[in-house]
Amino acid sequence: MKTQTSKVGLMTFIGMTVALAASIRNIPDVAGSGWTMFFYMGIAAFLFALPICLISGEFGSTFPEKGGPELWVNNSLGPSFGFATSWLLWVQMFPGMVMVASALPPLLATAINQDKLGTNNIFTLIVILVVYWIITFLNMKFDMAKITGQIGAWLGIYIPLAVMTILGICAVIKSGIHPASILGHFNATKLIPDPTDMKSLQYFSPIIFIFTGIEMSSVYITRIKKVSYYPIGVLITLVFMFLLNTVNGFLESAVVPSSQIDLNNIVQPVIVFDKILGLPSWIANIFSILVFIGVSVQLSAWASGPGKTIISSAQKGLYPPKFKFWKTDKFGDSHTVLLTQATIISLFALVYLLIPGINAAFLELVNATTVLYCVVYVFMAIGFIKLRLQKPNLKRPFKVGNTFIAWIVSIVLIATIIIALIATFAVGTLSNFIVVAIISIVLTLLPFWFVKIRKDSWTTEVKNLMTKYNLKNNFSKH
């Protein structure tokens, strides 16, 4: 069809990339870092996200088939690492979905004018569990991706972002930077993390997380009118995301006291802005309802999205047939996968009962999600270099400079990841480090264990079962 093969221009590509990567959910994290937000956002955008985009761009043009990171790592490091990549992109959503869903309780609390409930751990847990299980059952009964369409992007990102930015600018113009706010009084030395007080480092990992998933824009590289548009479009997108988050983070940190910031409460700055401007409270109520719907729709999309790679692997016989990950419904979803991830996500949600304080629990989830996602990026960086050395003559429509430049890009990405993780855990508690380390190590090693115990008979058994149930493998075979 024409719509599938039509080429897109630079501005369209930028819009598509922003729609994939932009979000308002991490603005409180940016605000919490104070004046160092500019430093951390700069590193995150140009020493983390830019190398990821460049590596993904070359991979995406070299292997234009569907598959993304799983396909790239499979073709560069081998099937075992490719399988591990698809696994990690699925399991990172366990803590990640809880982290995103944790935005819902304060939104609901504000919508019903019960703000204090938003900081209650038990209320937070109940809302996350109820909403996510409803979403799971809806995905088992309906084609939610088709029903929701672009609703999530408009309600969850564009409209709230416009409201938040306009109100924030007006509020800060009226009141200025409040002396008791996170920013306090300006001092040039505050722009760089203080070696004697590294508390702001705890926000580095959440800020890095803002850009995770940005590699997905590389799927559009074969549709761009000129391949040279890719690096230009990516750079413009990164600048836009830098401004989107730092401007709104600055506006929030200029009026919210550091002792009162709620990292999982997107609506908090809007409430403060309304008070400064003397606006009616219903504005915050409407804002909360819109974002609640938007976040729920995004959760619904993610509930079925990442699981598709698990279904694909299962249908190739990479998981034990008795798991039934291979069995799909008319929408292409596996009920077993949906129920499995809902159960595990529910267990991760218990962090809100086990850890006192909403912010501490939230940061724990962000750290675990970021570590798992960064393992994928390390695989990509290593595979990128290995492919350059082993297959230098491979056709690469988009190429990241010569081999020396490729080495620099990969080293910068890996070094940034290592520094970010060390810095994050350096300011955390020992228990935080142990919990996140155990989660990350276990979930990273599990797929390699699956590869070790895998039996060749699984492939034949799954094929026979799919024939019995008249199921088709609709996934590309990498």
Side-chain angles (χ1 to χ4, degrees), residues 315 326 328 466-467 469-475:
Q315 292 183 345
W326 50 267
T328 57
M466 291 181 66
T467 301
Y469 287 96
N470 195 28
L471 295 175
K472 294 181 180 180
N473 186 338
N474 296 315
F475 301 94

Side-chain angles (χ1 to χ4, degrees), residues 39-169:
F39 177 82
Y40 291 141
M41 282 295 297
I43 291 178
F46 302 109
L47 298 184
F48 176 75
L50 183 57
I52 290 170
C53 289
L54 294 176
I55 291 171
S56 301
E58 182 167 317
F59 267 137
S61 69
T62 306
F63 307 108
E65 307 93 333
K66 292 180 180 179
E70 176 193 2
L71 172 66
W72 307 335
V73 174
N74 185 79
N75 288 338
S76 56
L77 296 183
S80 295
F81 283 92
F83 175 62
T85 297
S86 70
W87 165 270
L88 288 169
L89 288 175
W90 182 51
V91 299
Q92 61 83 26
M93 70 178 282
F94 299 159
M97 291 287 270
V98 179
M99 177 199 69
V100 174
S102 66
L104 297 174
L107 289 169
L108 180 59
T110 301
I112 60 176
N113 292 316
Q114 297 292 329
D115 294 350
K116 288 185 178 180
L117 280 177
T119 57
N120 183 286
N121 288 53
I122 296 177
F123 178 76
T124 297
L125 174 63
I126 292 172
V127 172
I128 291 174
L129 293 178
V130 170
V131 172
Y132 193 76
W133 277 99
I134 288 174
I135 285 171
T136 297
F137 288 123
L138 286 175
N139 272 281
M140 291 169 65
K141 295 293 183 182
F142 305 100
D143 186 356
M144 294 304 292
K146 183 177 179 181
I147 293 173
T148 55
Q150 294 297 315
I151 293 175
W154 278 101
L155 294 185
I157 300 174
Y158 305 129
I159 295 175
L161 178 63
V163 172
M164 182 185 291
T165 305
I166 293 170
L167 292 178
I169 290 173

Side-chain angles (χ1 to χ4, degrees), residues 16 20 44 46 97 133 138 151 175 183 215 220 249 257 262 325 351-352 356 374 457 471:
M16 294 162 84
L20 272 176
F46 302 109
M97 291 287 270
W133 277 99
L138 286 175
I151 293 175
S175 68
L183 294 180
E215 77 281 351
Y220 301 128
D262 187 352
F325 288 170
V351 71
Y352 282 103
C374 283
S457 60
L471 295 175

Side-chain angles (χ1 to χ4, degrees), residues 13-26:
F13 170 67
I14 293 170
M16 294 162 84
T17 306
V18 169
L20 272 176
S23 173
I24 67 171
R25 67 177 179 267
N26 290 98

Side-chain angles (χ1 to χ4, degrees), residues 58 62-63 75 383-404 406-407:
E58 182 167 317
T62 306
F63 307 108
N75 288 338
F384 175 63
I385 292 300
K386 182 180 178 182
L387 202 65
R388 275 293 191 97
L389 296 176
Q390 292 188 344
K391 297 182 180 180
N393 298 321
L394 193 65
K395 185 179 179 181
R396 297 172 170 86
F398 172 74
K399 191 174 182 179
V400 185
N402 55 31
T403 303
F404 175 75
W407 271 100

Side-chain angles (χ1 to χ4, degrees), residues 235-401:
L235 190 60
I236 292 174
T237 300
L238 292 179
V239 171
F240 173 78
M241 290 180 67
F242 175 87
L243 292 174
L244 180 157
N245 285 279
T246 50
V247 167
N248 282 281
F250 175 85
L251 294 173
E252 179 176 354
S253 61
V255 296
V256 176
S258 57
S259 60
Q260 295 178 18
I261 189 167
D262 187 352
L263 298 181
N264 71 332
N265 191 349
I266 301 169
V267 76
Q268 184 183 31
V270 176
I271 294 173
V272 177
F273 297 154
D274 283 350
K275 289 180 180 178
I276 292 173
L277 297 171
L279 297 174
S281 60
W282 61 259
I283 293 178
N285 296 106
I286 298 298
F287 179 91
S288 298
I289 294 170
L290 287 177
V291 181
F292 187 96
I293 295 171
V295 172
S296 297
V297 169
Q298 288 179 330
L299 286 172
S300 177
W302 293 330
S304 62
K308 292 289 198 296
T309 62
I310 299 303
I311 298 170
S312 176
S313 296
Q315 292 183 345
K316 296 171 190 171
L318 297 177
Y319 288 98
K322 62 183 179 181
F323 284 8
K324 293 186 178 180
F325 288 170
W326 50 267
K327 190 176 182 182
T328 57
D329 59 17
K330 60 183 178 180
F331 307 121
D333 292 319
S334 165
H335 289 189
T336 308
V337 169
L338 288 172
L339 292 172
T340 299
Q341 65 190 28
T343 302
I344 299 174
I345 286 169
S346 298
L347 294 176
F348 269 95
L350 294 177
V351 71
Y352 282 103
L353 284 185
L354 301 174
I355 300 177
I358 293 291
N359 285 352
F362 182 83
L363 288 172
E364 193 107 6
L365 292 166
V366 176
N367 291 340
T369 309
T370 305
V371 170
L372 293 171
Y373 223 124
C374 283
V375 173
V376 172
Y377 291 141
V378 170
F379 287 169
M380 285 171 51
I382 295 173
F384 175 63
I385 292 300
K386 182 180 178 182
L387 202 65
R388 275 293 191 97
L389 296 176
Q390 292 188 344
K391 297 182 180 180
N393 298 321
L394 193 65
K395 185 179 179 181
R396 297 172 170 86
F398 172 74
K399 191 174 182 179
V400 185

